[in-house]
Amino acid sequence: MNISITKTTCPKEKPDSSTLGFGQVFTDHMFRMDYTPDKGWHDAKIVPFENLSIHPASTVLHYGSGIFEGLKAYRRADGKVQLFRPIENIRRMNSSADRLCLPQIPEDIAMEALMTYVRMEQDWTPNTFGTSLYLRPFMFGNDETLGVHSVQHATFMIIASPSGSYYKEGINPVKIMIEDQDVRAVRGGTGYIKCGGNYAASNRAGERAEQKGYSQVLWLDGVERKYIEEVGAMNVMFKIGDEIVTPKLTGSILPGITRKSCIEVLQKKGYKVSERLLSLTELEASMKNGMLEEAWGCGTAAVVSPIGELCYKDEKFTINEGKIGEVTQYLYDTLTGIQWGKSEDPFGWVQPID
Ligand SMILES: *Cc1c(COP(=O)(O)O)cnc(C)c1O
């Protein structure tokens, strides 16, 4: 694939890594490539970062045909920059594209786009542990018509944002409210893909939880409101006695790469991990009889996020005395060790940028 490169003539000043938030500062360049049925994916280019000019009838603005991915570039102590399981993000993006009838990108082309772009922007990767260069590939339907039909013109882009550590004040367990009104997704819908619409539909519950002093909601399934699905925009895991339970991928749950990695790390360590249905009734019973030892969310942003309190219909349950548990800490140490190159990667997950 030929990627044309236009370098910026006025490079921006790179921010100090201690002041970084999340997704506020962007690098000097962006990747773009367009799709039409006759040309396929074409016109791949890296250009200076700038606002997009978009037709007011563009499909994504009206009919929500937008998908995205999120992954990080990590700087190791020796200065090298590396990615964590990027092929998994590319495969998931194609699965998202398939669901919304957007064109898929052949894996080798998507990987070349990503690697070429990260190689060019890698100096923006901050160098303290916990910080990273957040990468945001995304694709949207870009037809210039209000007619409702499958997308003909699509645009794929990658942008990057140097981001601060998720845990600036140490890993503090969060309080989570179990949501019994809104649902995030239903089977047969779009819960298993990363599309913007899922986030839009989640905002109201998130806001209500925040008003009550909780940081996120625990989602129940969209049909019976009986089974545990996810926590905010993270997958969720529980240690109940000797079993580690995470909701199985029924179609309404996002197949997280952190979730998958946690399962593999735990199994290698000898834990019993079950991907199965977990009802709210069972979870409540496990809290009341003391079997629930740990609970945590997992996703690229936080790696793991321990849950210290769960609230259901104004009844509050404290988990592990509101402290991070042993398994949660083990997962955090193991995954961040591999990602920031502080420890060996026995799984072959990291991909250094040359
Ligand atoms: C992105 C996302 C996750 C986590 O996926 P990772 O690949 O681990 O980052 C979990 N749930 C939802 C709803 C998400 O959008």
Side-chain angles (χ1 to χ4, degrees):
M1 178 179 49
N2 178 39
I3 304 175
S4 91
I5 292 177
T6 311
K7 283 199 173 154
T8 183
T9 50
C10 42
K12 293 178 266 194
E13 197 175 319
K14 297 186 178 62
D16 187 273
S17 76
S18 64
T19 62
L20 288 169
F22 173 73
Q24 288 158 340
V25 177
F26 295 91
T27 63
D28 280 326
H29 302 96
M30 59 191 194
F31 178 92
R32 175 172 183 158
M33 148 170 106
D34 284 77
Y35 175 92
T36 52
D38 53 325
K39 289 192 193 165
W41 286 107
H42 62 276
D43 201 11
K45 56 191 176 193
I46 295 173
V47 294
F49 191 94
E50 60 176 1
N51 285 356
L52 296 179
S53 166
I54 196 169
H55 192 283
S58 178
T59 327
V60 68
L61 297 179
H62 302 268
Y63 305 125
S65 54
I67 58 173
F68 65 94
E69 273 303 323
L71 70 163
K72 290 171 172 177
Y74 307 84
R75 193 179 292 283
R76 310 192 310 217
D78 67 2
K80 226 178 175 38
V81 170
Q82 62 188 21
L83 302 180
F84 181 74
R85 311 188 82 174
I87 190 67
E88 298 287 340
N89 293 89
I90 287 168
R91 290 186 180 139
R92 188 170 62 192
M93 188 177 71
N94 279 332
S95 150
S96 299
D98 176 61
R99 179 65 183 80
L100 296 194
C101 293
L102 288 164
Q104 300 190 32
I105 306 179
E107 286 177 11
D108 54 335
I109 291 184
M111 189 60 96
E112 189 185 338
L114 184 65
M115 295 307 265
T116 308
Y117 178 69
V118 177
R119 201 172 294 127
M120 186 154 162
E121 300 298 80
Q122 60 177 312
D123 286 353
W124 283 87
T125 313
N127 58 12
T128 32
F129 175 72
T131 65
S132 60
L133 181 63
Y134 184 79
L135 302 166
R136 170 55 60 89
F138 60 106
M139 189 197 296
F140 54 96
N142 201 7
D143 283 314
E144 302 183 346
T145 165
L146 294 176
V148 181
H149 50 68
S150 66
V151 166
Q152 302 293 303
H153 178 188
T155 300
F156 169 70
M157 300 191 63
I158 312 173
I159 54 176
S161 170
S163 294
S165 172
Y166 191 90
Y167 292 113
K168 287 198 174 67
E169 282 115 42
I171 310 181
N172 292 317
V174 293
K175 295 181 179 181
I176 299 293
M177 196 180 90
I178 300 175
E179 172 66 33
D180 58 358
Q181 293 171 49
D182 289 358
V183 298
R184 194 189 77 89
V186 292
R187 278 179 225 181
T190 57
Y192 71 95
I193 67 165
K194 268 182 125 65
C195 66
N198 291 345
Y199 277 69
S202 304
N203 281 343
R204 186 171 70 176
E207 234 169 66
R208 277 196 303 242
E210 223 167 273
Q211 277 161 10
K212 289 189 173 172
Y214 291 85
S215 38
Q216 269 301 344
V217 300
L218 186 71
W219 295 108
L220 300 178
D221 76 273
V223 178
E224 299 177 80
R225 289 188 180 73
K226 185 175 162 190
Y227 298 101
I228 308 297
E229 299 231 308
E230 296 197 55
V231 55
M234 285 189 270
N235 293 112
V236 67
M237 299 187 169
F238 302 91
K239 181 167 191 284
I240 304 175
D242 289 332
E243 184 190 16
I244 290 162
V245 185
T246 190
K248 73 171 182 183
L249 303 175
T250 52
S252 49
I253 292 174
L254 198 286
I257 297 160
T258 317
R259 172 189 182 277
K260 185 173 173 173
S261 306
C262 285
I263 293 172
E264 291 170 53
V265 163
L266 290 170
Q267 282 173 339
K268 186 161 186 283
K269 181 82 173 161
Y271 284 104
K272 179 186 176 206
V273 185
S274 311
E275 297 178 67
R276 62 172 176 86
L277 292 178
L278 173 65
S279 69
L280 180 57
T281 318
E282 181 185 347
L283 184 66
E284 263 192 293
S286 77
M287 292 192 279
K288 287 180 174 154
N289 67 22
M291 290 286 279
L292 181 69
E293 296 172 13
E294 294 181 47
W296 64 92
C298 52
T300 297
V303 188
V304 289
S305 175
I307 300 171
E309 182 186 313
L310 274 175
C311 171
Y312 182 60
K313 294 190 193 294
D314 295 325
E315 196 177 353
K316 291 174 183 166
F317 301 93
T318 301
I319 302 167
N320 195 38
E321 300 168 349
K323 293 184 302 216
I324 184 169
E326 204 179 306
V327 175
T328 315
Q329 185 73 54
Y330 175 72
L331 283 171
Y332 182 79
D333 294 340
T334 306
L335 289 175
T336 58
I338 293 172
Q339 289 166 336
W340 274 272
K342 299 206 295 186
S343 42
E344 284 296 299
D345 168 20
F347 301 94
W349 285 339
V350 297
Q351 191 147 332
I353 306 292
D354 40 46

